Amino acid sequence: MNKKNKILISACLLGCKVRYDGKDNLIDSNFIHRLQQQGRLVSVCPEQEGGLPTPRHPAEIQDKFPLRITDINGEDVTPQFLSGAEKTLEIAQREGCCCALLKSRSPSCGNLEIYDGNFTGSIKAGSGATADELMRNGFPVYNERQLDQLIEFIELLDGCEPNYGRRAS
Ligand code: SF4
């Protein structure tokens, strides 16, 4: 196994009940199962790494510059989100991860979209604190809707052997 080809993954995508509401976001994917069996997945929940409990109040990004994240009661949780992002980056670097598969739309893990800050379920373009930190430091970040792209990326790194198939399911 090439240590460089480990993949950081949001813990909730692996079925860990670490979401704010104590639930998970398990994805049923042969590709992910195979990577897990090969010991190539590094599971992290940035919000837990930052010291937040589970369950916790839902939080959304209010401003990006400077970053301000509050929970639904208006409590500022920016320091915990930033701490979680820094610790997740350290883990990715220490484990030699080549990329990350993170949960879409999360204020920590979202890579392309995030909730708009009004706690109404509305979405806008943007990225979460941990996804930002990883991307700033050169890690490609995919979400669970981009499994085909992730497969292509990993196959390239693995030497182009089509070990995982083209279908993400
Ligand atoms: Fe999942 Fe990321 Fe939220 Fe943790 S911070 S529950 S890993 S989306």
Side-chain angles (χ1 to χ4, degrees), residues 13-79:
L13 294 178
L14 278 182
C16 300
K17 299 191 182 306
V18 292
R19 271 175 36 151
Y20 72 93
D21 55 3
K23 297 180 180 171
D24 63 65
N25 293 109
L26 178 65
I27 46 173
D28 186 18
S29 157
N30 290 335
F31 169 65
I32 298 301
H33 290 156
R34 219 162 297 142
L35 290 175
Q36 193 169 19
Q37 284 166 358
Q38 293 170 350
R40 295 175 64 172
L41 296 182
V42 177
S43 169
V44 180
C45 174
E47 290 172 26
Q48 286 199 336
E49 289 292 329
L52 291 170
T54 303
R56 54 190 172 276
H57 297 302
E60 295 189 6
I61 294 175
Q62 304 299 324
D63 297 299
K64 284 295 290 260
F65 305 106
L67 184 64
R68 189 171 67 91
I69 304 175
T70 66
D71 70 21
I72 197 166
N73 295 323
E75 186 178 339
D76 189 342
V77 287
T78 313

Coordinates of all heavy atoms in Angstrom, one line a residue, residues 13-79:
L13 N -19.6 10.3 7.0 CA -19.8 9.5 5.8 C -19.5 8.0 6.0 O -19.9 7.2 5.2 CB -18.9 10.1 4.7 CG -19.2 11.5 4.2 CD1 -18.2 11.9 3.1 CD2 -20.7 11.6 3.6
L14 N -18.8 7.7 7.0 CA -18.4 6.3 7.3 C -19.4 5.7 8.3 O -19.3 4.6 8.7 CB -17.0 6.2 7.9 CG -15.9 6.2 6.9 CD1 -14.6 6.0 7.6 CD2 -16.1 5.1 5.8
G15 N -20.4 6.5 8.7 CA -21.5 5.9 9.5 C -21.3 6.3 11.0 O -22.1 5.9 11.8
C16 N -20.3 7.1 11.3 CA -20.1 7.5 12.7 C -21.2 8.6 13.1 O -21.4 9.5 12.3 CB -18.7 8.2 12.9 SG -17.4 7.0 12.6
K17 N -21.8 8.4 14.2 CA -22.9 9.3 14.6 C -22.4 10.5 15.2 O -22.5 10.7 16.4 CB -23.9 8.5 15.5 CG -24.4 7.3 14.7 CD -25.6 6.6 15.4 CE -26.1 5.4 14.7 NZ -26.4 5.7 13.3
V18 N -21.7 11.4 14.4 CA -21.1 12.6 14.9 C -21.7 13.9 14.4 O -21.2 15.0 14.8 CB -19.6 12.6 14.5 CG1 -18.8 11.4 15.2 CG2 -19.4 12.4 13.0
R19 N -22.8 13.8 13.7 CA -23.5 15.0 13.2 C -24.0 15.8 14.4 O -24.2 15.2 15.5 CB -24.7 14.6 12.3 CG -24.3 14.5 10.9 CD -25.4 14.0 10.1 NE -26.8 14.5 10.5 CZ -27.8 14.6 9.7 NH1 -27.6 14.4 8.4 NH2 -28.9 15.1 10.1
Y20 N -24.4 17.0 14.2 CA -24.9 17.9 15.2 C -26.1 17.2 15.9 O -26.3 17.4 17.1 CB -25.3 19.2 14.7 CG -26.5 19.2 13.8 CD1 -27.8 19.5 14.4 CD2 -26.4 18.9 12.5 CE1 -28.9 19.5 13.6 CE2 -27.6 18.9 11.7 CZ -28.8 19.2 12.3 OH -29.9 19.1 11.5
D21 N -26.9 16.4 15.2 CA -28.1 15.8 15.7 C -27.9 14.4 16.2 O -28.8 13.7 16.5 CB -29.2 15.9 14.7 CG -28.9 15.2 13.4 OD1 -27.8 14.7 13.3 OD2 -29.7 15.3 12.5
G22 N -26.6 14.0 16.3 CA -26.3 12.6 16.7 C -26.5 11.5 15.7 O -26.5 10.4 16.0
K23 N -26.8 11.9 14.4 CA -27.0 11.0 13.3 C -25.7 10.9 12.5 O -24.7 11.6 12.7 CB -28.2 11.3 12.5 CG -29.5 11.3 13.4 CD -30.7 11.7 12.5 CE -31.9 11.6 13.4 NZ -33.1 12.2 12.7
D24 N -25.8 10.1 11.4 CA -24.7 10.0 10.5 C -25.1 10.3 9.1 O -26.3 10.6 8.8 CB -24.0 8.6 10.6 CG -25.0 7.5 10.1 OD1 -25.4 7.5 8.9 OD2 -25.4 6.7 11.0
N25 N -24.2 10.3 8.1 CA -24.5 10.5 6.7 C -23.8 9.3 5.9 O -23.2 9.5 4.9 CB -23.8 11.8 6.2 CG -24.5 13.0 6.8 OD1 -23.9 13.7 7.7 ND2 -25.7 13.3 6.4
L26 N -24.1 8.1 6.4 CA -23.4 6.9 5.8 C -23.6 6.9 4.3 O -24.8 7.0 3.8 CB -23.9 5.7 6.4 CG -23.4 4.4 5.9 CD1 -21.9 4.2 6.2 CD2 -24.1 3.2 6.5
I27 N -22.6 6.7 3.5 CA -22.7 6.5 2.1 C -22.5 5.0 1.8 O -21.5 4.4 2.3 CB -21.8 7.4 1.2 CG1 -20.4 7.4 1.8 CG2 -22.3 8.7 1.1 CD1 -19.4 8.1 0.9
D28 N -23.3 4.4 1.0 CA -23.2 3.0 0.6 C -22.5 2.9 -0.7 O -23.1 3.1 -1.7 CB -24.6 2.4 0.6 CG -24.5 0.9 0.4 OD1 -23.4 0.3 0.6 OD2 -25.5 0.3 -0.1
S29 N -21.2 2.6 -0.6 CA -20.4 2.7 -1.9 C -19.4 1.6 -1.8 O -18.6 1.5 -0.9 CB -19.7 4.0 -2.0 OG -18.6 3.9 -2.8
N30 N -19.3 0.7 -2.8 CA -18.3 -0.3 -2.9 C -16.9 0.2 -2.9 O -16.0 -0.3 -2.3 CB -18.5 -1.2 -4.2 CG -19.8 -2.0 -4.1 OD1 -20.3 -2.3 -3.0 ND2 -20.4 -2.4 -5.2
F31 N -16.8 1.3 -3.6 CA -15.5 2.0 -3.7 C -15.0 2.4 -2.3 O -13.8 2.1 -1.9 CB -15.7 3.3 -4.5 CG -14.5 4.2 -4.5 CD1 -13.3 3.8 -5.0 CD2 -14.7 5.5 -4.0 CE1 -12.2 4.7 -5.0 CE2 -13.6 6.4 -4.0 CZ -12.4 6.0 -4.5
I32 N -15.9 3.0 -1.5 CA -15.5 3.4 -0.1 C -15.2 2.1 0.8 O -14.3 2.1 1.5 CB -16.6 4.2 0.5 CG1 -16.8 5.5 -0.3 CG2 -16.3 4.6 2.0 CD1 -15.5 6.4 -0.4
H33 N -16.1 1.1 0.6 CA -15.8 -0.1 1.4 C -14.5 -0.7 1.1 O -13.8 -1.2 2.0 CB -16.9 -1.2 1.0 CG -18.3 -0.8 1.5 ND1 -19.4 -1.3 0.9 CD2 -18.7 0.0 2.5 CE1 -20.5 -0.8 1.6 NE2 -20.0 0.0 2.6
R34 N -14.1 -0.7 -0.2 CA -12.8 -1.3 -0.6 C -11.6 -0.5 0.0 O -10.7 -1.1 0.5 CB -12.7 -1.3 -2.1 CG -12.0 -2.6 -2.6 CD -12.4 -2.8 -4.1 NE -13.8 -3.0 -4.3 CZ -14.4 -2.5 -5.4 NH1 -13.8 -1.7 -6.3 NH2 -15.7 -2.7 -5.5
L35 N -11.8 0.8 -0.1 CA -10.7 1.6 0.5 C -10.6 1.4 2.0 O -9.5 1.3 2.6 CB -11.0 3.1 0.3 CG -10.9 3.6 -1.2 CD1 -11.3 5.1 -1.3 CD2 -9.4 3.5 -1.7
Q36 N -11.7 1.2 2.6 CA -11.7 1.0 4.1 C -11.1 -0.4 4.4 O -10.3 -0.5 5.3 CB -13.2 1.0 4.6 CG -13.2 1.1 6.1 CD -14.7 1.4 6.6 OE1 -15.6 1.2 5.9 NE2 -14.8 1.9 7.8
Q37 N -11.4 -1.4 3.6 CA -10.8 -2.7 3.9 C -9.3 -2.7 3.7 O -8.5 -3.4 4.3 CB -11.4 -3.7 2.9 CG -12.8 -4.2 3.3 CD -13.5 -4.9 2.2 OE1 -13.0 -5.1 1.1 NE2 -14.7 -5.4 2.5
Q38 N -8.8 -1.8 2.8 CA -7.4 -1.7 2.5 C -6.7 -0.8 3.5 O -5.5 -0.5 3.4 CB -7.2 -1.1 1.1 CG -7.6 -2.0 0.0 CD -7.7 -1.3 -1.4 OE1 -7.5 -0.1 -1.5 NE2 -7.8 -2.1 -2.4
G39 N -7.4 -0.2 4.5 CA -6.8 0.6 5.5 C -6.4 1.9 5.0 O -5.5 2.5 5.6
R40 N -7.1 2.4 4.0 CA -6.6 3.7 3.4 C -7.5 4.9 3.8 O -7.2 6.0 3.3 CB -6.6 3.5 1.9 CG -5.7 2.5 1.4 CD -5.8 2.3 -0.1 NE -5.4 3.5 -0.9 CZ -5.3 3.5 -2.2 NH1 -5.4 2.4 -2.9 NH2 -5.0 4.6 -2.8
L41 N -8.4 4.7 4.7 CA -9.3 5.8 5.0 C -8.9 6.4 6.4 O -8.7 5.6 7.3 CB -10.8 5.4 5.1 CG -11.3 5.0 3.7 CD1 -12.8 4.6 3.9 CD2 -11.2 6.1 2.7
V42 N -8.8 7.7 6.5 CA -8.5 8.4 7.8 C -9.7 9.2 8.1 O -10.0 10.2 7.5 CB -7.3 9.3 7.6 CG1 -7.0 10.0 8.9 CG2 -6.0 8.5 7.1
S43 N -10.4 8.7 9.1 CA -11.7 9.2 9.5 C -11.6 10.3 10.5 O -10.9 10.2 11.6 CB -12.6 8.1 10.1 OG -13.7 8.6 10.7
V44 N -12.2 11.5 10.2 CA -12.1 12.7 11.1 C -13.4 13.4 11.1 O -14.1 13.5 10.1 CB -11.0 13.6 10.6 CG1 -10.9 14.8 11.6 CG2 -9.7 13.0 10.5
C45 N -13.8 13.9 12.3 CA -14.9 14.8 12.4 C -14.3 16.1 12.9 O -14.0 16.3 14.1 CB -16.0 14.4 13.4 SG -17.3 15.7 13.6
P46 N -14.2 17.1 12.0 CA -13.5 18.4 12.5 C -14.2 19.1 13.6 O -13.5 19.7 14.5 CB -13.6 19.2 11.2 CG -13.6 18.2 10.1 CD -14.4 17.1 10.6
E47 N -15.5 19.0 13.7 CA -16.2 19.7 14.7 C -16.0 19.1 16.1 O -15.8 19.8 17.1 CB -17.7 19.8 14.4 CG -17.9 20.8 13.2 CD -19.3 20.9 12.7 OE1 -20.3 20.6 13.4 OE2 -19.4 21.2 11.5
Q48 N -15.9 17.8 16.1 CA -15.5 17.1 17.3 C -14.0 17.4 17.7 O -13.6 17.6 18.8 CB -15.7 15.6 17.2 CG -17.2 15.2 17.3 CD -17.4 13.8 17.7 OE1 -16.5 12.9 17.4 NE2 -18.5 13.5 18.2
E49 N -13.2 17.4 16.6 CA -11.7 17.7 16.9 C -11.6 19.1 17.5 O -10.7 19.3 18.3 CB -11.0 17.6 15.6 CG -10.7 16.3 15.0 CD -9.8 15.4 15.8 OE1 -8.9 15.9 16.5 OE2 -10.0 14.2 15.9
G50 N -12.5 20.0 17.1 CA -12.4 21.3 17.6 C -13.0 21.5 19.0 O -13.1 22.6 19.6
G51 N -13.5 20.4 19.6 CA -14.0 20.4 21.0 C -15.5 20.5 21.1 O -16.0 20.6 22.3
L52 N -16.2 20.5 20.0 CA -17.7 20.6 20.2 C -18.3 19.2 20.5 O -17.8 18.2 20.0 CB -18.3 21.1 18.8 CG -18.0 22.6 18.5 CD1 -18.4 22.9 17.1 CD2 -18.7 23.5 19.5
P53 N -19.3 19.2 21.3 CA -19.9 17.9 21.7 C -20.9 17.4 20.6 O -21.3 18.1 19.7 CB -20.7 18.3 23.0 CG -21.1 19.7 22.7 CD -20.0 20.4 22.0
T54 N -21.3 16.2 20.8 CA -22.4 15.6 20.0 C -23.4 15.0 20.9 O -23.0 14.2 21.8 CB -21.8 14.5 19.1 OG1 -20.8 15.0 18.2 CG2 -22.9 13.9 18.2
P55 N -24.7 15.4 20.8 CA -25.2 16.3 19.8 C -24.8 17.8 20.2 O -24.4 18.0 21.3 CB -26.7 16.1 19.9 CG -26.9 15.6 21.3 CD -25.7 14.8 21.7
R56 N -25.0 18.7 19.3 CA -24.7 20.1 19.4 C -25.7 20.9 18.6 O -26.4 20.3 17.8 CB -23.3 20.4 19.0 CG -23.0 19.9 17.5 CD -21.5 20.0 17.2 NE -21.2 19.5 15.9 CZ -21.0 18.2 15.7 NH1 -21.0 17.3 16.7 NH2 -20.8 17.7 14.5
H57 N -25.8 22.2 18.9 CA -26.7 23.0 18.1 C -26.2 23.1 16.7 O -25.0 23.2 16.5 CB -26.8 24.4 18.7 CG -27.4 24.4 20.1 ND1 -28.7 23.8 20.4 CD2 -27.0 24.8 21.3 CE1 -29.0 23.9 21.7 NE2 -27.9 24.5 22.3
P58 N -27.1 23.1 15.7 CA -26.6 23.3 14.3 C -25.9 24.7 14.2 O -26.3 25.7 14.8 CB -27.8 23.3 13.5 CG -29.0 23.5 14.4 CD -28.5 23.0 15.8
A59 N -24.9 24.8 13.4 CA -24.1 26.0 13.2 C -24.0 26.3 11.7 O -24.1 25.4 10.8 CB -22.7 25.9 13.8
E60 N -24.0 27.6 11.3 CA -23.8 28.0 9.9 C -22.8 29.2 9.8 O -22.7 29.9 10.8 CB -25.2 28.3 9.3 CG -26.1 27.1 9.2 CD -27.3 27.4 8.4 OE1 -27.5 28.5 7.8 OE2 -28.2 26.5 8.4
I61 N -22.2 29.3 8.7 CA -21.3 30.4 8.4 C -22.1 31.7 8.2 O -22.9 31.7 7.3 CB -20.4 30.0 7.3 CG1 -19.4 28.9 7.6 CG2 -19.5 31.3 6.9 CD1 -18.6 28.4 6.5
Q62 N -21.7 32.7 9.0 CA -22.4 34.0 8.8 C -21.6 34.9 7.9 O -22.2 35.6 7.1 CB -22.6 34.7 10.2 CG -23.4 33.8 11.2 CD -24.8 33.5 10.7 OE1 -25.4 34.3 10.1 NE2 -25.2 32.3 11.0
D63 N -20.3 34.9 8.1 CA -19.4 35.7 7.3 C -18.1 35.0 7.0 O -17.7 34.2 7.8 CB -19.0 37.0 8.0 CG -20.2 37.9 8.3 OD1 -20.8 38.4 7.3 OD2 -20.4 38.1 9.5
K64 N -17.5 35.2 5.8 CA -16.3 34.5 5.5 C -15.1 35.4 5.8 O -14.0 34.9 6.1 CB -16.3 34.1 4.0 CG -17.1 33.0 3.6 CD -16.6 31.6 4.3 CE -15.4 31.1 3.7 NZ -15.5 30.1 2.7
F65 N -15.2 36.7 5.6 CA -14.0 37.6 5.7 C -14.3 38.7 6.7 O -14.9 39.7 6.2 CB -13.6 38.1 4.4 CG -13.3 37.0 3.4 CD1 -14.2 36.7 2.4 CD2 -12.2 36.2 3.5 CE1 -14.0 35.7 1.5 CE2 -12.0 35.1 2.6 CZ -12.9 34.9 1.6
P66 N -14.0 38.7 8.0 CA -13.3 37.5 8.6 C -14.4 36.4 8.9 O -15.6 36.7 9.0 CB -12.8 38.0 9.9 CG -13.7 39.2 10.2 CD -14.1 39.8 8.9
L67 N -13.9 35.2 9.1 CA -14.8 34.1 9.3 C -15.6 34.3 10.6 O -15.0 34.6 11.6 CB -14.0 32.8 9.3 CG -14.8 31.5 9.5 CD1 -15.7 31.3 8.3 CD2 -13.9 30.3 9.7
R68 N -16.9 34.1 10.5 CA -17.7 34.1 11.7 C -18.8 33.0 11.6 O -19.6 33.0 10.6 CB -18.4 35.5 11.9 CG -19.1 35.6 13.3 CD -19.5 37.0 13.5 NE -20.5 37.5 12.6 CZ -21.9 37.3 12.8 NH1 -22.3 36.9 14.0 NH2 -22.7 37.7 11.9
I69 N -18.8 32.1 12.5 CA -19.7 31.0 12.5 C -20.5 31.0 13.8 O -19.9 31.1 14.9 CB -19.0 29.6 12.4 CG1 -18.1 29.6 11.1 CG2 -20.0 28.5 12.3 CD1 -17.2 28.4 10.9
T70 N -21.8 30.9 13.7 CA -22.6 30.9 15.0 C -23.5 29.7 14.9 O -23.8 29.2 13.8 CB -23.5 32.2 15.1 OG1 -24.4 32.2 14.1 CG2 -22.6 33.4 15.1
D71 N -23.9 29.3 16.1 CA -24.9 28.2 16.2 C -26.3 28.9 16.1 O -26.4 30.1 16.0 CB -24.8 27.3 17.4 CG -25.1 28.0 18.7 OD1 -25.8 29.0 18.7 OD2 -24.6 27.5 19.7
I72 N -27.3 28.1 16.1 CA -28.7 28.6 15.8 C -29.2 29.5 16.9 O -30.1 30.3 16.7 CB -29.7 27.4 15.6 CG1 -30.9 27.9 15.0 CG2 -29.9 26.7 17.0 CD1 -31.8 26.7 14.4
N73 N -28.5 29.5 18.1 CA -28.8 30.4 19.2 C -28.0 31.7 19.2 O -28.1 32.5 20.1 CB -28.6 29.7 20.5 CG -29.6 28.6 20.7 OD1 -30.8 28.7 20.2 ND2 -29.2 27.5 21.3
G74 N -27.1 31.8 18.2 CA -26.3 33.0 18.0 C -25.0 32.9 18.7 O -24.2 33.9 18.7
E75 N -24.7 31.8 19.3 CA -23.4 31.7 20.0 C -22.3 31.5 19.0 O -22.4 30.7 18.1 CB -23.4 30.4 21.0 CG -22.1 30.4 21.8 CD -22.1 29.2 22.8 OE1 -23.2 28.7 23.1 OE2 -21.0 28.8 23.2
D76 N -21.2 32.3 19.2 CA -20.0 32.3 18.3 C -19.2 31.0 18.5 O -18.7 30.8 19.6 CB -19.2 33.5 18.6 CG -18.1 33.7 17.5 OD1 -17.8 32.7 16.8 OD2 -17.5 34.8 17.4
V77 N -19.2 30.1 17.5 CA -18.4 28.9 17.6 C -17.2 28.9 16.6 O -16.6 27.8 16.3 CB -19.3 27.7 17.4 CG1 -20.2 27.4 18.6 CG2 -20.1 27.8 16.1
T78 N -16.9 30.1 16.2 CA -15.7 30.2 15.2 C -14.5 29.6 15.7 O -13.8 28.8 15.0 CB -15.5 31.7 14.8 OG1 -16.7 32.3 14.5 CG2 -14.6 31.8 13.7
P79 N -14.1 29.8 17.0 CA -12.8 29.3 17.5 C -12.8 27.7 17.4 O -11.8 27.1 17.0 CB -12.7 29.7 19.0 CG -13.6 31.0 19.0 CD -14.7 30.7 18.0

